[in-house]
Amino acid sequence: MKKPALLLALTASILGAATPALAAPKLSAQSIIVNPVPTDLSVKVWVDRDTSGDRTPMYRVGDRIRISTTVNEDAYVYLFNINPDGTTDQILPNRLSSSAYVRAGQTRTFPAQGDNFVFNISGPRGINKVLVIASRTPLNLDQLSSYRQGETFATVQPRTQAGLAQALSIVVNPVEQPVPQQNWTSDTVRYSVGR
């Protein structure tokens, strides 16, 4: 079994009112899933070695990484790490830090000071992406990920980047109770895992 690029290790212890003319979320190599409808909601994600979020900082296997995000309006934030092989790890929510709610202008860092977990870098080597989705309303991730018995972090079902993008499109544009298109947005940041 391959180890994910972002090893989650324990320590101590989105869319206009629902109408038939809804635009489908667009898939982008940079952002995985992009809202095609203009929205005032914005979200930004970055890693601790590049607070601008514009570069691709290098981490080595065994390094710790911290991921930060901010929103311009109160929103629910969901974080995913897309590994070089396309598999995905759900970072937030998790059973140790389930609160995905972020207030406008607040910066949230994961793990936060005092959290009972850290994020350690492991293989495979290559370019990783952290995807953040911000939504004005909570999202139902049941079709995307699930918790195995005794596990702290949810397992993302789709095993490819394309599968993740398709599953996320369903999450934000379900048949029943779609999220209004102007109510969600996304952002990504890249980092590299080297020797």
Side-chain angles (χ1 to χ4, degrees), residues 138-154:
L139 299 178
N140 181 349
L141 301 181
D142 290 347
Q143 292 184 28
L144 179 68
S145 60
S146 62
Y147 291 96
R148 293 184 180 150
Q149 185 174 357
E151 293 291 322
T152 303
F153 297 94

Side-chain angles (χ1 to χ4, degrees), residues 64-170:
R64 287 192 178 168
I65 186 171
R66 295 181 72 201
I67 301 164
S68 299
T69 189
T70 189
V71 289
N72 68 332
E73 298 178 26
D74 293 353
Y76 295 88
V77 172
Y78 303 88
L79 288 168
F80 302 90
N81 188 84
I82 297 106
N83 302 304
D85 63 4
T87 60
T88 304
D89 305 309
Q90 181 175 311
I91 300 169
L92 186 74
N94 63 61
R95 288 193 171 152
L96 296 175
S97 182
S98 61
S99 175
Y101 190 73
V102 178
R103 295 218 175 264
Q106 175 187 20
T107 296
R108 294 272 311 268
T109 300
F110 305 96
Q113 294 286 351
D115 278 348
N116 290 328
F117 63 97
V118 297
F119 297 143
N120 289 327
I121 301 294
S122 69
R125 292 177 174 84
I127 301 295
N128 289 259
K129 297 175 202 159
V130 176
L131 167 68
V132 62
I133 295 184
S135 174
R136 291 183 177 118
T137 58
L139 299 178
N140 181 349
L141 301 181
D142 290 347
Q143 292 184 28
L144 179 68
S145 60
S146 62
Y147 291 96
R148 293 184 180 150
Q149 185 174 357
E151 293 291 322
T152 303
F153 297 94
T155 300
V156 175
Q157 306 307 326
R159 302 311 298 167
T160 65
Q161 186 170 308
L164 172 66
Q166 182 179 14
L168 285 169
S169 292
I170 293 167

Side-chain angles (χ1 to χ4, degrees), residues 16-33:
T19 66
L22 284 178
K26 293 182 182 180
L27 308 182
S28 158
Q30 292 76 28
S31 298
I32 315 302
I33 182 170

Side-chain angles (χ1 to χ4, degrees), residues 1-25:
M1 181 173 167
K2 291 183 186 176
K3 290 185 179 179
L6 182 67
L7 176 64
L8 304 174
L10 296 176
T11 59
S13 53
I14 111 202
L15 311 172
T19 66
L22 284 178

